[in-house]
Amino acid sequence: MSMNGEYLRVTPEELARALEDPEWAWDFADEAQDRSAEGDGGRFFSTDRAWDLLGFLLKRSGFPVDVVHGEEPMPGAEDWGYGPPRHLTVAQVRSAAERLERLSYDELIADVDQAELDATEIYPQIDDTASLDWAREAFTPLVDFFRTAATAGHAVLVWID
């Protein structure tokens, strides 16, 4: 089994409810994942195993928002896989979407060297910089996900599962 980066777009009202009732949030997220597995990926998104590499690349670029782990803790939430979920506010989602729109994956991987990758111990381990391109498949839909969330005025729940 692998560790996956998971995202759920929520309205401001749903975020408020999630922060008050983390169990409701868990059930809501679980239902969204089920709908996504059935072909309705509307509000749920996963970067699969690319989350850690994307986090490293975005942090390295000076990205203003932690879109991989979330910025704000969800008080009282239980472990959703590998720790409790976090969230991004509507303003943080908007900021992330604006920056992602101006950032290419080629820019993210430019000048990354193997020593840097080895020092960070990225999951899953990357044996050479030539293999960095595999996460492009997760980056492009991540950009789309945040664009859609920002356009809808949504916040985002984030967790590693």
Side-chain angles (χ1 to χ4, degrees):
M1 183 162 203
S2 63
M3 297 171 68
N4 300 298
E6 313 286 20
Y7 298 83
L8 180 65
R9 294 187 296 117
V10 293
T11 66
E13 296 79 17
E14 290 164 345
L15 176 61
R17 184 170 180 190
L19 294 175
E20 290 294 319
D21 186 356
E23 286 184 39
W24 174 85
W26 168 254
D27 291 339
F28 188 72
D30 191 45
E31 290 171 16
Q33 277 185 289
D34 289 346
R35 285 191 304 273
S36 176
E38 295 166 2
D40 176 20
R43 293 221 250 163
F44 174 78
F45 172 70
S46 178
T47 56
D48 297 318
R49 297 182 326 146
W51 63 273
D52 202 21
L53 176 57
L54 291 174
F56 161 75
L57 294 170
L58 290 167
K59 184 176 181 180
R60 182 179 181 271
S61 77
F63 202 79
V65 179
D66 187 349
V67 298
V68 171
H69 299 99
E71 290 283 342
E72 311 294 332
M74 185 179 287
E78 299 292 323
D79 184 336
W80 283 22
Y82 292 91
R86 297 178 65 87
H87 72 278
L88 299 169
T89 65
V90 172
Q92 291 165 332
V93 168
R94 190 175 311 113
S95 175
E98 289 169 0
R99 179 69 175 103
L100 284 167
E101 288 291 337
R102 298 188 313 267
L103 185 64
S104 75
Y105 191 75
D106 290 331
E107 289 173 300
L108 282 177
I109 63 173
D111 302 323
V112 174
D113 65 35
Q114 190 60 44
E116 194 176 10
L117 292 173
D118 293 342
T120 61
E121 299 180 2
I122 292 171
Y123 170 84
Q125 183 176 354
I126 298 178
D127 295 326
D128 72 66
T129 56
S131 65
L132 290 174
D133 205 50
W134 71 272
R136 183 184 307 268
E137 294 173 17
F139 180 74
T140 301
L142 180 70
V143 173
D144 294 340
F145 177 84
F146 272 88
R147 179 188 315 114
T148 301
T151 299
H154 285 171
V156 172
L157 303 181
V158 182
W159 69 100
I160 305 299
D161 182 11

